[in-house]
Amino acid sequence: MRKITLITIVLLMGLQMLSQQIEIPPLERRVTDLTGTLAENEILAVDNMIAESEKSKGSQIAVLIIPTTGEETIEQFSIRVAEQWKIGREEYDDGVILIIAKDDRTLRIEVGYGLESVITDADASVIINDYIVPEFKNGNYYYGVYFGVSNIITLINGGSVYPAYTYEELSSEEQALKDKKESWAIILMSLCFILPVVFIFMFKARLWILILTLVITIGLNLYVGYLFGAFSSSVGLLINTGIFGIIGLIANISTKKGKSFFGSGSGSYNSSSSYSYSNTSSSSSYSGGSSYSGGSSSYSGGGGSFGGGGASGKW
């Protein structure tokens, strides 16, 4: 009789614990905000950023903002969410979920099995503590979510995430080195814009000199990208170099063949001809006017599995 009573008590306690679990909302879109923290255009901006990444890489990312996880820890709740939503492709287990319990002031990045070597626990911790939490502390929830998701995408794309730092946190020696590095980057960038124009005026020089100058300039372009921490910074410079370099090579070859590239005469430069290049940089933006709407959509996870990889944080 005592044994039956004990089993009954244990079962009742278990049922009570289950009844205290916060219900997990259905997965209907990439960003689910049950707190009204984000405006609709902000939700769409993050949603579209994730959609673009998903289209490119296939990995799924979801964001869930809830008031509280109740009696559960953020880790326990996130595993339940992962098991129910099954974010990520089944064959790759490449899903990531950013869960934010606003009233608890806790959050977690839950990483699928297939991405645990790409988004390590250390990487997830850096994203949380250096990019999300500082924004949340200042009440900038949208920027915290946006920076968090964009850094997750950076890692999925094969990039790296580095600990953020402020000016005050650097020693005077470190700050002097940083300022020097930035100054050199600006000087070299200016050279990378100006030097290619010289190619046009080198059309009478030896071909190997022109090619060597072109190679050196391309190297400078890539080095500027390294100094700025992203080789994408070199794209505009490389386009600029390429256009003027091609013009210079064609002019050089034409001159060697006895033809004038710049007009009539014996290969002399015709000042009435002008060659201009406008290097406009394009920037992709995720505007709130884009058309992803999840209210009645059938967006769903791909069957991915999770094993507890990731990191948690507080603010």
Side-chain angles (χ1 to χ4, degrees):
M1 184 67 181
R2 182 182 297 175
K3 187 174 182 181
I4 294 174
T5 303
L6 183 61
I7 292 174
T8 303
I9 293 172
V10 171
L11 287 173
L12 288 173
M13 289 178 62
L15 289 172
Q16 184 180 8
M17 287 181 65
L18 287 174
S19 66
Q20 291 175 344
Q21 288 184 339
I22 301 298
E23 183 179 355
I24 297 171
L27 177 63
E28 294 179 340
R29 61 194 306 183
R30 297 174 180 86
V31 180
T32 303
D33 181 8
L34 302 182
T35 64
T37 299
L38 303 181
E40 183 62 23
N41 66 316
E42 294 173 337
I43 291 175
L44 286 171
V46 177
D47 198 303
N48 289 336
M49 176 171 59
I50 296 172
E52 288 296 319
S53 172
E54 188 176 317
K55 188 188 303 181
S56 171
K57 289 295 184 179
S59 302
Q60 288 185 305
I61 303 171
V63 178
L64 173 60
I65 306 176
I66 54 173
T68 179
T69 61
E71 298 296 324
E72 293 179 293
T73 64
I74 189 76
E75 293 81 9
Q76 293 169 330
F77 181 79
S78 64
I79 283 295
R80 283 207 299 123
V81 173
E83 290 173 349
Q84 180 170 311
W85 282 7
K86 297 187 180 300
I87 289 291
R89 294 171 292 180
E90 185 174 7
E91 64 270 32
Y92 299 111
D93 296 324
D94 56 347
V96 183
I97 307 174
L98 171 59
I99 300 176
I100 300 157
K102 186 178 179 182
D103 294 346
D104 299 338
R105 303 177 73 86
T106 60
L107 70 154
R108 179 168 177 79
I109 295 175
E110 195 70 41
V111 181
Y113 278 121
L115 289 177
E116 287 183 357
S117 61
V118 176
I119 305 174
T120 65
D121 294 356
D123 288 329
S125 182
V126 167
I127 294 173
I128 288 173
N129 294 317
D130 288 63
Y131 293 93
I132 302 179
V133 167
E135 297 297 336
F136 282 9
K137 284 182 176 179
N138 291 326
N140 301 323
Y141 291 100
Y142 166 65
Y143 288 113
V145 172
Y146 192 93
F147 292 155
V149 171
S150 63
N151 276 288
I152 289 171
I153 291 173
T154 295
L155 291 172
I156 291 175
N157 288 335
S160 301
V161 173
Y162 301 99
Y165 54 82
T166 62
Y167 191 97
E168 291 76 19
E169 290 172 340
L170 297 174
S171 67
S172 57
E173 293 81 5
E174 290 173 327
Q175 188 59 52
L177 183 62
K178 180 174 178 288
D179 292 339
K180 185 177 180 181
K181 181 178 177 181
E182 291 177 350
S183 299
W184 271 108
I186 293 171
I187 293 171
L188 291 176
M189 177 175 280
S190 301
L191 281 175
C192 289
F193 272 114
I194 297 170
L195 193 56
V197 182
V198 179
F199 295 158
I200 295 178
F201 300 97
M202 293 176 62
F203 67 93
K204 286 188 177 181
R206 291 175 181 249
L207 185 60
W208 70 267
I209 295 177
L210 184 61
I211 293 175
L212 179 62
T213 307
L214 184 62
V215 170
I216 291 173
T217 306
I218 291 173
L220 283 176
N221 292 341
L222 296 175
Y223 187 59
V224 166
Y226 165 75
L227 289 177
F228 278 106
F231 284 106
S232 58
S233 305
S234 304
V235 173
L237 299 175
L238 288 170
I239 293 173
N240 186 58
T241 300
I243 289 179
F244 280 104
I246 291 170
I247 293 173
L249 287 171
I250 293 174
N252 184 283
I253 294 171
S254 299
T255 303
K256 295 296 185 295
K257 291 183 177 180
K259 298 178 181 179
S260 174
F261 183 75
F262 295 102
S264 59
S266 58
S268 61
Y269 179 73
N270 185 354
S271 61
S272 64
S273 299
S274 63
Y275 297 86
S276 63
Y277 171 67
S278 175
N279 184 13
T280 57
S281 59
S282 61
S283 61
S284 60
S285 63
Y286 300 94
S287 66
S290 299
S291 60
Y292 185 85
S293 173
S296 58
S297 75
S298 57
Y299 182 74
S300 61
S305 300
F306 290 74
S312 304
K314 295 182 178 181
W315 77 92

